Amino acid sequence: MTDSHDGKFGRYGGQYVPEALMPAIEELREAYERYVLDGADDFPTELRDRLADFGGRPTPLQYAEALSDRYDTNVYLKREDLLHGGAHKLNNALGQVLLAKYMGKDRIIAETGAGQHGTATAMAAAHLGMPCEVYMGETDMERQRPNVQRMRLNGATVTPVTTGRGTLKEAISETMRDWASNVEDTHYVIGSIVGPDPFPEMVRDFQSIIGEEAREQIREKTGGLPDSVVACAGGGSNTMGAFHEFRDDCAEPRSADDSSGQRPRDHVDLIAVEAGGSSLEVDEERGVAPNSATLSTGDEGVLHGARTKLLQDADGQILESHSVSAGLDYSGVGPELAHLVDTGRVQAANVDDDDALEAFHRVSRLEGIIPALETAHAFAYLEAHPDALGETTIVNVSGRGDKDLETVIEQTRDRDLDAAAALDDPTEGAEGER
Amino acid sequence: MSLDGVFDEPAFVPYLVAGDPDRESSKAYVEALAEGGADVIELGLPFSEPIAEGPTIQSAIVRALQAGMTPDRYFTFVEELDIDVPVVCMTYYNLLYQYGDSDGPRSFVERAAEAGIAGFVVPDLPAEEAGPLREACDEFGLDLIFIVAPTTTDDRLATMREVTSGYVYVQARLGVTGARDDVSDQTGATLARVADWPVPKAVGFGIKTREHARDIVAGGADGIIVGSALVDIVARGASEDRSIDTVAQEVREKAAALKAGAIDGGRDRVDSTTD
Ligand SMILES: Cc1ncc(COP(=O)(O)O)c(C=O)c1O
């Protein structure tokens, strides 16, 4: 498989933006090629050093004893929740803010859903001395309050977006508008592998440090490669970050009629877990998809600068998405991930809100790790498909769940989930589970 | 209806969103534009993610969508208009792309041609990706209008020159749509860069008053495009619950003033060249 350097991933990708933005994305592509790909002015060294000293890289690859027991397999956790800011988002934010600095830009804008990308960008901007404005949907500001405060503490302006449902889709549109108005001095730090070329490719490169480390770490620990890598997918940046270095580990794709039950050597299954929300059925009347399962249920179209898979109605209007987790609540997905799913290299799966919430509690209790609600979707996949994992699996722990406590407690009670009991009496519930 | 001859005298090209705030009023407002002197009407087909629009037009799009506007209803809306002015459809690529069962924009263009639409402006479709739409437009005899921005590079200008027909939309300033209080001096510079193109030059983004219109045409434009200043009138009508007739009258007067400004500008330009 060759890496894309032309902004296209099969039929997906491209640069579908207003003319006013064209020069900015051309300038960005040049800068990306010069500093990131060709390493001019020692950009990669400076980024690596800052990711180490400011960011806390490398993050550990931890053997998860309780989950391994539970699923009768070897579960390893790539601990991106231990990265500064509490999520994988810093890899990209620091990369882009530093690049903007090398480009001579003097203002940073970003959009955020869960607030993790906004937080990472605000931190990176403060670290590198750049002013920063973050657009965030009103609904998301409400459900991710701690992150709003963190951004403000780092000196960023948080601007509420009130259109639509007030989630990530609207925030991205609003940030693109700002960028079109201030393109000469402003860099837009997009938060996932979405948007016009070169963003999907560049963000993937910044995030692929996750898989790069994980590949080396799993070799050290087990002497081989994992059978599967599982990651949650909103836009898909932690997903592609975890998958990219394993992209060629598929010498022989497993054939459907292979009855031996043997996995071919060096085949690493890559599993992207989306938010199934409350249902995979679209509510036509309200124009809402009560899920964010774009890879599983979306159709090809053009949104936010790229051709990709989208949640849309028959006319091509973009549907509002839904997920209990703000960071997965997006109607689009990265074009590269859409392509890899179409071509069979990545498997798309989805789990619903309730299962994600249960997984949030389970992992917190069993492993002493409170995962982000986004990440909880990846963990819920383990519970639903323990047989699909092989002997060794890596789960990308994309972030920590502190930001989600309020939502989780409220939703767990409202939905009357099993885990609700544990909220009242912490000695209950833990027993039977294990 | 075609765009031939439309720019023979300084043209007034207004924009409204079809179906804003509802079908009946919108029809009256579009017809008022024609009565006020519109030479071409850019009629917005609302898309849920209008990334090139500022708050005024964005809100208009939300109102129209809430009132039930769809591509099919848009086409019948155009067919039912009682006007003698060509209509250009302004929308985003996903709507063209998804229409009908076919792959690509061809069925949309075919249906638009049947409805009598003269051409398209698609702000999120760059010239490099325009091949399939350009082909369909050629097949059905429609124009495809591209937007040139103050930041457009020389390389891209050359590409756009190849694919533009009907007129070229010169973006007066950076940013998104929206009425402003001044006219940017970026306009003259951008106009100069497309001066030798074989199509008329229409300038838009931020034009609000008769004086703006005059200055822009005097500065070399063949026409002016005005959106937000007109959408503002519709918006006020919708929020203050004024009668359709009252709002339509205001639209008609505003249109007439802007058209007069364009004519004034043409005269100023002729005068200055005969000095
Ligand atoms: C912890 C965490 N995981 C995952 C995501 C989803 O984004 P992506 O799919 O780009 O990794 C987010 C987004 O905010 C997040 O905060």
Side-chain angles (χ1 to χ4, degrees), chain A residues 86-89 112-117 147 168 191-194 203 207 232-240 325-328 337 372-375 396-400 403-404:
Chain A
H88 68 291
K89 298 283 178 186
T112 196
Q116 288 300 107
H117 171 61
N147 274 336
L168 185 56
S192 191
I193 53 162
V194 301
V203 176
Q207 290 294 0
C232 68
S237 69
N238 88 90
T239 331
M240 278 312 304
S325 94
L328 303 184
L337 198 51
L373 255 178
E374 289 79 10
T375 313
N396 190 36
V397 186
S398 59
R400 67 175 195 228
K403 68 187 177 64
D404 295 315

Side-chain angles (χ1 to χ4, degrees), chain A residues 53 100 111 119 126 137 144 160 165-166 214 218 226 244 289 306 360 379 390 402 411:
Chain A
D53 295 347
E111 91 298 322
T119 299
Q144 303 284 332
R165 256 189 77 235
I218 195 84
H244 188 60
F360 181 100
F379 282 118
D402 306 40
Q411 293 287 324

Side-chain angles (χ1 to χ4, degrees), chain A residues 1-12:
Chain A
M1 199 179 305
T2 52
D3 292 359
S4 160
H5 287 301
D6 64 356
K8 296 276 167 66
F9 306 94
R11 41 195 298 119
Y12 302 117

